[in-house]
Amino acid sequence: MTFTSRISFFLICATVVFTTLAYGTVHQPIIAFFYLVVVGLVVLWAAEGFVTGYAKLSTSALQLPLLLLGIYALVQIIPFGSYSNSGSGVLSARTISIDPFTTQMTAIHIFALCAFFAIALAVIDSEKRLRLVVKVITGFGFIYSFFAILQSVLSPEKIYGIYETPFATSFGSFVNRHNFAAIIEMAISLPLALIFTGAVDRDKRLLYWVAIALMATALLLSGSRGGLVALLAGVIFLVLLTTRQKGGGRTAVSFALAAGIVILALAGAIFVGGDTSLTRFADASASADISSNRTHLWGITLRIIFAFFPLGTGLGAYGQAYTQFDTTGGFHRVEYAHNDYLQILADAGIVGLVLGGMFLYLLWREGFRNITGPSQYRRSVAVGAFTGCFAILVHSLFDFVLHITAVSVMFLTFMALLVASGRQFDGETSADKPRPHARASVTELTDRIMQK
C-alpha cells in the first residue's frame, strides 16, 4: 500500500465523520470545503497512478446511475433557443431547467459525490481496510449517539451549545432531526449484522450490544417518525436476510434479538425522557408547519410532475417550481418534497424514473449476490451494508435524507462496503476468496505496451 493510498483511505473515513459533525454539510462554506477534499482525493489518486504506473478504478455498475444523473443535469441547462421575458423584450435562454443556475450547482455536487464514491471503491482494497471502515462507523455511531443524547438533555435548543435553531427541531449536529436519524439507521446496521451473523467474538458482544442500544435510543429520542419506521423496517429486513437459509430455531433466536433491540431502545428512551418518535405518532398527520405537512407537499409535487413531464423541472429546481403550484398562493418556498422518489420524478422526469429503477436493480443485485459469499466476516459486512442502504431507501419515502451531503456520503460509503464485501483481494487464501462473479471489481489500468 502506497503512502498516497493511505492518505486517501484516511480522508475517506475522516470525510464520513466530518460531514456529519459539520451540521450535516448543508452550509455553503462547508460544502465548498467538502469539494476541496474531493479534489484532494482525485489529486492523490492521480499521483498514485503516476508513481506506480497504474490507476485503480472500480468497474462497479453502481456508479453509473449517479454519473448519468449528473450528465443529465448538464443537459438540462443547455440553451436551445430563447424567449421574451414577460414581454419586456429581454431575451432569456430557453433550457429544460426552470432554474439553470441551481441545476448547474446540483450537477457539480453530483459529480463531487461520484468522485468520492469512485475513490472509496478504489481505496477499500483489502479486508484490513474493510474492517477498519466498519470499526470507524460503529465507533463513531456509538460516540455520536452518546453526544446527541447528552446534548438533548443539557442543551436541547442549541447545537454544540452555540448554534441556536429557533425555526427547526434539531438533534445531534443536524438542524433537522430526521437527518440525524438517517445517519444512525446506517451506523447501527453494521454492529447489528455482526451480532446477528455471529461474526463478533464472545468477549466483545457486550460492547456491541451497548453500542446498538445507545444508537437505537438516540434515534428514538430524536423524534423522527420516518426514522423509527426505517429502523424497524431495517431490523425486519436484517432478520429476513440472516434467517432465509437457517432453520426454525435460528429464526426464533433472530426475532428474539430483534425484540430485545426494541425493548432496549424503549427502555433507554423512557429513562432519558423527551419527545420520542412514539409520542409523535400520536400527533395528527397534518401540521400547521407547511414544511411538515407531507400530504400537502406530495399533492403539490404530483402536480409538478405532471406539469413538467417528461423532462422534469431541472435537478435542484423543485423550490422554484413549488411556488408556481402552491395552493397557499406561493407564499412559502419549499426546497424539498419530503419524498426522494417523488422529487427525482419532479426534477428529472422520465430520465429520473429510468435511472432510479436502474439504481435499485443494481443495488438489489449487488446486495443479494454478496450476502452469500464464503467469508463469514464479509457476509456480515454485506448484510449490514445492505440493511443500512435499505433503511435509507425506506426513510426516503417520508423525508429528503438523500439530499443532505452527510447522509449521501455515508450512503455511498455503505455502498462501497457492499461492493468491497464481494471483492477478491490480493493475498487471500483460497478459503476466503469470493465466488468468481466478484472478481475484477477493481481494474488496474497498466501501460502493457510499454511493459512489453
Side-chain angles (χ1 to χ4, degrees):
M1 296 182 184
T2 63
F3 178 69
T4 53
S5 177
R6 292 190 184 96
I7 296 177
S8 297
F9 178 73
F10 170 78
L11 285 177
I12 290 294
C13 295
T15 301
V16 173
V17 175
F18 172 78
T19 53
T20 299
L21 295 180
Y23 305 114
T25 311
V26 295
H27 302 95
Q28 288 303 321
I30 304 176
I31 292 175
F33 182 77
F34 167 69
Y35 293 161
L36 289 176
V37 172
V38 172
V39 170
L41 285 169
V42 173
V43 171
L44 288 170
W45 172 81
E48 182 181 9
F50 178 78
V51 171
T52 61
Y54 62 88
K56 290 182 178 180
L57 285 175
S58 173
T59 58
S60 172
L62 276 171
Q63 299 171 95
L64 282 177
L66 188 61
L67 180 62
L68 292 175
L69 187 64
I71 293 173
Y72 184 59
L74 295 180
V75 172
Q76 289 180 315
I77 62 175
I78 296 175
F80 58 97
S82 58
Y83 66 96
S84 177
N85 191 2
S86 302
S88 61
V90 178
L91 296 180
S92 300
R94 187 183 300 275
T95 59
I96 294 174
S97 173
I98 62 175
D99 190 354
F101 175 77
T102 303
T103 301
Q104 180 181 359
M105 297 306 298
T106 302
I108 293 173
H109 194 75
I110 291 173
F111 288 131
L113 292 174
C114 284
F116 176 86
F117 185 35
I119 294 175
L121 287 168
V123 300
I124 305 177
D125 56 359
S126 67
E127 182 155 325
K128 179 181 178 181
R129 287 187 171 180
L130 185 70
R131 290 176 179 269
L132 279 174
V133 175
V134 172
K135 290 178 181 178
V136 167
I137 293 175
T138 302
F140 173 66
F142 170 68
I143 297 171
Y144 183 53
S145 296
F146 178 76
F147 155 75
I149 294 172
L150 194 63
Q151 179 177 263
S152 68
V153 175
L154 300 179
S155 180
E157 303 298 329
K158 293 182 179 181
I159 301 175
Y160 301 134
I162 56 175
Y163 183 20
E164 191 170 3
T165 57
F167 303 108
T169 305
S170 61
F171 202 85
S173 59
F174 288 92
V175 173
N176 188 322
R177 58 187 167 192
H178 305 296
N179 299 324
F180 169 85
I183 292 292
I184 299 303
E185 291 158 21
M186 289 183 281
I188 199 175
S189 298
L190 291 175
L192 273 175
L194 295 175
I195 287 289
F196 271 61
T197 57
V200 179
D201 295 334
R202 186 181 298 274
D203 59 336
K204 297 179 181 178
R205 289 177 187 172
L206 179 60
L207 182 62
Y208 275 76
W209 273 113
V210 171
I212 291 168
L214 198 65
M215 284 189 266
T217 299
L219 188 149
L220 200 61
L221 287 173
S222 71
S224 173
R225 289 173 290 192
L228 177 60
V229 171
L231 175 65
L232 295 177
V235 171
I236 294 172
F237 185 69
L238 177 62
V239 170
L240 294 176
L241 289 180
T242 55
T243 60
R244 62 191 194 124
Q245 294 180 341
K246 304 293 182 180
R250 178 69 178 179
T251 302
V253 170
S254 296
F255 274 104
L257 288 174
I261 294 166
V262 176
I263 293 172
L264 283 174
L266 289 174
I270 293 171
F271 177 76
V272 177
D275 181 28
T276 69
S277 303
L278 290 179
T279 59
R280 292 190 70 240
F281 262 116
D283 297 339
S285 60
S287 171
D289 181 5
I290 193 69
S291 65
S292 300
N293 191 338
R294 303 294 197 276
T295 55
H296 175 80
L297 292 175
W298 295 343
I300 298 298
T301 304
L302 288 174
R303 294 179 61 189
I304 294 173
I305 291 171
F306 290 119
F308 289 91
F309 198 81
L311 301 178
T313 64
L315 287 162
Y318 176 86
Q320 184 75 13
Y322 182 89
T323 57
Q324 302 178 26
F325 294 89
D326 187 10
T327 54
T328 62
F331 178 75
H332 300 279
R333 181 178 174 88
V334 179
E335 299 292 341
Y336 304 106
H338 284 262
N339 183 307
D340 285 331
Y341 302 96
L342 290 179
Q343 184 147 353
I344 193 62
L345 288 175
D347 287 356
I350 190 68
V351 175
L353 178 64
V354 172
L355 293 180
M358 178 194 301
F359 168 74
L360 292 176
Y361 167 74
L362 292 173
L363 179 65
W364 223 248
R365 185 183 67 175
E366 190 76 27
F368 280 110
R369 191 168 61 183
N370 292 344
I371 63 174
T372 57
S375 169
Q376 182 189 23
Y377 183 79
R378 259 182 272 173
R379 283 199 308 271
S380 302
V381 174
V383 169
F386 196 18
T387 300
C389 292
F390 176 78
I392 289 297
L393 294 177
V394 172
H395 198 163
S396 292
L397 290 167
F398 312 103
D399 289 301
F400 51 90
V401 290
L402 286 176
H403 283 78
I404 304 302
T405 305
V407 180
S408 298
V409 166
M410 182 74 86
F411 184 74
L412 292 174
T413 304
F414 266 61
M415 288 203 299
L417 288 174
L418 182 61
V419 174
S421 65
R423 178 179 297 170
Q424 176 179 324
F425 299 126
D426 295 334
E428 290 183 316
T429 62
S430 58
D432 289 331
K433 288 182 180 179
R435 296 173 299 175
H437 71 256
R439 297 180 64 88
S441 58
V442 173
T443 302
E444 296 180 350
L445 303 179
T446 310
D447 191 351
R448 300 183 183 278
I449 297 177
M450 293 299 294
Q451 286 181 345
K452 292 181 180 179

